Amino acid sequence: MIDKLMIYEIKGIEKDLLEEGNIPMLTIYLEDQEGMEEIISMEESLMYERQLQKGSKVVIGPDGNLFPLSMAENLGMLDEEQEIPGICLQQQGNWQAEWMENYMDALEEMDDLLKPQ
């Protein structure tokens, strides 16, 4: 049973073939401290926005996308008292709920801004 939020290092990035009308995606190759490998897909623009590159230390967030450690700490994903490489699942549930609440609030604000006056 996994009881820690794993911290990964980006080992490689490949650009996916883009079909017309699709969002540019990347395949990211990750490795944890124990040498276990993981492969995920993520939007290219989000990788650029979060300034992720080969060698970056990251966590996989509740939305399945990568977060740099500094952003993960700012969002409360990593507890200051917890030792890296991660946090327990109970704490993970707390930050996921908080993250989702903040995300939903942001969507509501965007919706309000886009409504015709």
Side-chain angles (χ1 to χ4, degrees):
M1 182 168 101
I2 299 173
D3 63 350
K4 298 284 185 183
L5 180 67
M6 295 302 300
I7 293 180
Y8 297 90
E9 180 177 340
I10 298 176
K11 291 296 186 176
I13 301 170
E14 288 181 4
K15 192 167 190 164
D16 295 346
L17 294 177
L18 182 63
E19 294 181 24
E20 189 173 328
N22 286 347
I23 297 171
M25 299 292 287
L26 299 172
T27 298
I28 300 104
Y29 299 89
L30 306 168
E31 185 177 294
D32 68 18
Q33 283 104 348
E34 297 172 0
M36 299 298 290
E37 296 179 351
E38 181 88 25
I39 300 172
I40 68 163
S41 270
M42 189 167 157
E43 289 182 26
E44 184 176 17
S45 61
L46 197 51
M47 285 283 291
Y48 178 76
E49 180 182 305
R50 295 182 180 174
Q51 300 176 355
L52 299 174
Q53 58 193 343
K54 189 174 177 180
S56 295
K57 300 286 187 189
V58 296
V59 296
I60 300 174
D63 60 355
N65 288 309
L66 299 178
F67 290 81
L69 290 183
S70 59
M71 182 182 282
E73 288 179 89
N74 290 339
L75 292 172
M77 293 179 189
L78 301 175
D79 189 295
E80 290 178 18
E81 297 175 9
Q82 255 330 81
E83 212 174 290
I84 290 179
I87 62 174
C88 73
L89 287 177
Q90 183 179 2
Q91 291 167 322
Q92 179 179 347
N94 292 340
W95 65 256
Q96 284 177 328
E98 185 178 336
W99 182 90
M100 184 56 84
E101 185 177 329
N102 292 339
Y103 179 74
M104 295 306 291
D105 288 345
L107 286 178
E108 287 176 16
E109 287 178 25
M110 283 179 41
D111 191 43
D112 290 343
L113 290 173
L114 296 175
K115 284 183 183 174
Q117 298 295 328

